[in-house]
Amino acid sequence: EGPLQVSAALREGRVGAVELCQRCLARVRGTGFLNAYISVAEAAALRQAEEAEKRYRRGQPLGILDGIPVAVKDNFNTAGIETTCASNMLKGYISPYNATVVQKLLDQGAVLLGKTNLDEFAMGSGSTDGVFGPVRNPWSYSRQYKEKNPPKSHSENEDSEWVIAGGSSGGSAAAVSSFTCFAALGSDTGGSTRNPAAHCGVVGLKPTYGLISRHGLIPLVNSMDVPGILTRCVDDAAVVLGLLAGHDPKDSTTIQDTFKPFELPDSIDIRKLCIGIPKEYQVPGLSSEIQALWSKVADLFKDAGAKVIEVSLPHTPYSIVCYHVLCTAEVASNMARFDGLEYGHRADMKQSTESMYAATRREGFNDVVRGRILAGNYFLLKENYENYFVKAQKVRRLIANDFVKVFGSAVDILLTPTTLSDAAPYVEFIKEDNRTRSAQDDILTQAANMAGLPAISVPAALSKRGLPLGLQFIGRSFQEKQLLSVAKWFEKQVKFPAIQLEDMKRHDCSVLQHQKSVSSL
Amino acid sequence: ERVPAAVLEHLERLALVAFGDAEGVRRLREAVRFAERLRHVDTDGVEPMDSVLEDRCLYLREDDVTEGNCTKELLKNAREKIEEYFVAPPGNIPLPKLEERETFEQQS
């Protein structure tokens, strides 16, 4: 169930906002072993729910989201609630303000349950590299997965087979997927909303760059970051988008055009559509399952009367390298603000300003973050600037132009896989280092960030292992209505199965409190 | 290709982040090697792209004060402060050379 249906239930008095909030909070507690949440704002959420209930009784709800429990990734500033970015650098940091998107949700009466877990500073594709430990994919505990992966022996630890949630917005995806909330905010810089959406069997929308305000979203790559929306169905994503999109004077990278919220049509004329299949997305690491699914879905559109053609985005093979340079360069700049002086962690070093900064940053950042800062600074050195940073900016234009050409040739929507395969078991995933993993996993998603285009991952089928597989649609700039309409049509055709979560209580062992170190598993 | 020790030291000073160990240096080498692939792309005559919104104008807002006066809130998050000042250790003192530098040179 999503906000639309629950909203109706709230309006008709079939359920009260407070009861709804309590049920969701109980569910958050019951799914604690997933480690999807870093902070749960129980008292504040109940207060918000009480206010919402009063408004419903007066017959004056603020809108569709009034009284609806939501969760927010922990890299968005939330006033009065700790914002950590899953890093020691911001442990204990209580923001004095709400990010614009958070404020918009609250102004609509949404009930903020808490902040979700992520890779430290949103760097990663597994939600495994944060200081509060990894996020577990709820599907690890589904009947569908367990049937295909019976434990090999009674003595084997049942918990060793769990799979990753994807990243870096894994907590948000897991929170939505496990029914703790009806919608969640993530962020997307290279695929961080779409990747976990695909792995957790939920809808993950990356809006066009410039559509939704980034004010209050702790920045990673200013020219690519966007807030992402995670929901259980495409209609819900459209609802949330409608409430968040639009110019924000506090974010000068939001466009000034007036945004008109839209409802998605129940049916569209597929015969008028031209779907492009980019051949360069047929990358070597793509699992045969996903290949087959991609083909099958292309045929689905063709059989429904759409024009389905192969297209070429020739610079795709360079997008990961380009992203690597631009991302580390912008990260080097953005992470410079963390020096211990005004907020966040501060080392006990009093010799000099520089040594205090250096110690603070050594203590506050994990290896991944430090590695990217150093690499970024390298690419920005005077002797390297032209050959690496500016070069990457030129390649970025070539990548963006590839899309312009394809969309200019009457292609409406591109259809691609979202991930290379279904979710990997955690024990397998951590064998490779973060950069290698990100480079592999981001391949299908990050070109959309380069070009600023809207993209959405929709659950498409279950894999042989009983885990979700998602497919991605990429649309034209600011054409979210068309993109979501096609995604909704597709969603209807597919009828993706609901997750069958078994009794939660057995798994809620006290061993799995918030882990402070990633390596403890 | 080795990254010269002088560059490593320079980077540490610029970034105020230590490599930490040989692993950190290796990570940088890998990152640089990976980035080399950009050389293969022909970018003759291509302008660098700063922003996907480059076709639009940046706009100015009215020069009116619309918010502020939040000194107390902002100071709340600082560990060391005196009255309305953030307190920093003495500046103009360069980072000391680390003894570990010699080991980096040997291992990288």
Side-chain angles (χ1 to χ4, degrees), chain A residues 208-223:
Chain A
T208 311
Y209 181 87
L211 186 62
I212 298 189
S213 172
R214 291 180 301 111
H215 175 74
L217 166 62
I218 295 173
L220 188 62
V221 183
N222 297 72
S223 68

Side-chain angles (χ1 to χ4, degrees), chain A residues 32-33 136 159 504-513:
Chain A
F33 57 93
R136 299 184 177 205
D159 283 333
M504 295 290 184
K505 297 208 175 79
R506 257 187 308 135
H507 297 283
D508 194 7
C509 17
S510 52
V511 164
L512 298 163
Q513 303 299 336

Side-chain angles (χ1 to χ4, degrees), chain A residues 274-312:
Chain A
C274 177
I275 311 269
I277 310 285
K279 63 180 190 209
E280 291 85 2
Y281 278 59
Q282 189 107 335
V283 290
L286 205 58
S287 80
S288 49
E289 260 189 321
I290 294 212
Q291 285 251 29
L293 177 64
W294 188 17
S295 262
K296 189 164 151 215
V297 171
D299 288 340
L300 176 77
F301 277 98
K302 206 182 298 170
D303 294 339
K307 186 160 169 228
V308 178
I309 57 172
E310 189 185 73
V311 296
S312 176

Side-chain angles (χ1 to χ4, degrees), chain A residues 18-238:
Chain A
V18 173
E19 185 194 335
L20 184 61
C21 179
Q22 281 164 340
R23 274 201 249 157
C24 285
L25 286 170
R27 192 129 183 116
V28 171
R29 281 192 297 272
T31 54
F33 57 93
L34 296 178
N35 206 17
Y37 286 81
I38 293 178
S39 312
V40 182
E42 212 168 295
L46 284 167
R47 269 197 310 271
Q48 287 161 23
E50 272 156 20
E51 293 301 308
E53 198 159 296
K54 285 190 201 140
R55 288 189 291 266
Y56 275 104
R57 277 205 216 106
R58 288 199 303 267
Q60 292 169 335
L62 292 168
I64 292 184
L65 277 199
D66 204 348
I68 306 281
V70 298
V72 166
K73 186 176 181 182
D74 206 16
N75 59 352
F76 285 91
N77 278 283
T78 44
I81 303 175
E82 202 180 351
T83 298
T84 66
C85 292
S87 176
N88 282 317
M89 188 59 90
L90 287 178
K91 257 198 197 168
Y93 167 68
I94 311 250
S95 176
Y97 73 107
N98 282 319
T100 296
V101 288
V102 172
Q103 192 60 53
K104 284 188 173 190
L105 289 176
L106 294 174
D107 287 343
Q108 286 291 310
V111 172
L112 179 55
L113 294 179
K115 310 297 289 298
T116 57
N117 203 353
L118 59 154
D119 282 300
E120 182 161 339
F121 278 110
M123 299 188 203
S125 59
S127 300
T128 53
D129 279 328
V131 292
F132 297 106
V135 178
R136 299 184 177 205
N137 190 327
W139 283 82
S140 312
Y141 302 95
S142 67
R143 187 162 304 151
Q144 290 104 326
Y145 179 63
K146 288 183 170 207
E147 270 168 13
K148 303 291 171 97
N149 297 276
K152 298 184 188 75
S153 65
H154 284 299
S155 55
E156 184 181 81
N157 184 359
E158 207 176 41
D159 283 333
S160 63
E161 287 299 302
W162 62 270
V163 299
I164 58 163
S168 59
S169 311
S172 282
V176 171
S177 170
S178 59
F179 303 100
T180 62
C181 61
F182 295 91
L185 291 186
S187 65
D188 196 311
T189 305
S192 291
T193 289
R194 292 161 284 156
N195 174 297
H199 286 320
C200 291
V202 297
V203 170
L205 170 64
K206 174 214 168 295
T208 311
Y209 181 87
L211 186 62
I212 298 189
S213 172
R214 291 180 301 111
H215 175 74
L217 166 62
I218 295 173
L220 188 62
V221 183
N222 297 72
S223 68
M224 298 187 212
D225 290 348
V226 292
I229 296 171
L230 293 137
T231 55
R232 288 193 282 277
C233 71
V234 178
D235 271 330
D236 293 348

Side-chain angles (χ1 to χ4, degrees), chain A residues 94 247 251-253 256-257 318 324 342-343 346 352-353 361 367 377-378 381 388 391 393-394 397 450, chain B residues 11 15-16 27 31 36 38 41 43 46-50 52-54 56 59 77-78 80 87 89-91:
Chain A
I94 311 250
H247 177 61
D251 178 358
S252 63
T253 59
Q256 291 188 286
D257 305 6
Y318 297 104
H324 165 70
E342 293 162 57
Y343 46 77
R346 177 175 178 142
S352 67
T353 322
R361 291 156 72 79
D367 287 345
N377 273 295
Y378 180 85
L381 289 175
Y388 293 93
K391 179 80 180 179
Q393 286 191 307
K394 293 179 179 179
R397 181 179 297 285
M450 286 284 188
Chain B
L11 282 176
L16 286 178
R27 204 177 278 129
E36 294 298 327
L38 282 178
V41 190
T43 52
V46 181
E47 284 299 301
M49 180 182 239
D50 291 314
V52 296
L53 300 176
E54 61 186 4
R56 295 170 186 259
Y59 49 89
N77 280 304
E80 292 187 41
V87 178

Side-chain angles (χ1 to χ4, degrees), chain A residues 361-376:
Chain A
R361 291 156 72 79
R362 185 180 55 243
E363 290 167 18
F365 292 140
N366 73 4
D367 287 345
V368 176
V369 176
R370 294 205 317 266
R372 291 202 195 186
I373 293 172
L374 288 164

Side-chain angles (χ1 to χ4, degrees), chain B:
Chain B
E1 310 99 51
R2 270 191 51 172
V3 178
V7 175
L8 292 178
E9 208 180 295
H10 186 44
L11 282 176
E12 285 192 327
R13 189 151 284 135
L14 280 178
L16 286 178
V17 162
F19 281 96
D21 50 23
E23 175 61 29
V25 178
R26 191 200 61 80
R27 204 177 278 129
L28 176 73
R29 263 218 319 260
E30 274 307 306
V32 175
R33 189 181 305 157
F34 190 58
E36 294 298 327
R37 295 187 205 180
L38 282 178
R39 291 184 196 278
H40 303 308
V41 190
D42 180 10
T43 52
D44 254 341
V46 181
E47 284 299 301
M49 180 182 239
D50 291 314
S51 166
V52 296
L53 300 176
E54 61 186 4
D55 292 334
R56 295 170 186 259
C57 274
L58 263 185
Y59 49 89
L60 297 174
R61 66 180 176 94
E62 289 306 311
D63 192 12
D64 294 326
V65 174
T66 51
E67 55 180 357
N69 275 329
C70 48
T71 316
K72 224 169 41 165
E73 279 85 1
L74 294 179
L75 285 173
K76 266 196 202 135
N77 280 304
R79 299 274 164 104
E80 292 187 41
K81 52 211 172 197
I82 292 179
E83 292 177 18
E84 293 189 345
Y85 294 88
F86 296 108
V87 178
N92 269 337
I93 299 173
L95 265 184
K97 270 189 182 291
L98 299 170
E99 297 83 29
E100 291 96 279
R101 289 225 201 281
E102 277 133 44
T103 12
F104 286 1
E105 276 172 36
Q106 280 158 19
Q107 283 167 327
S108 68

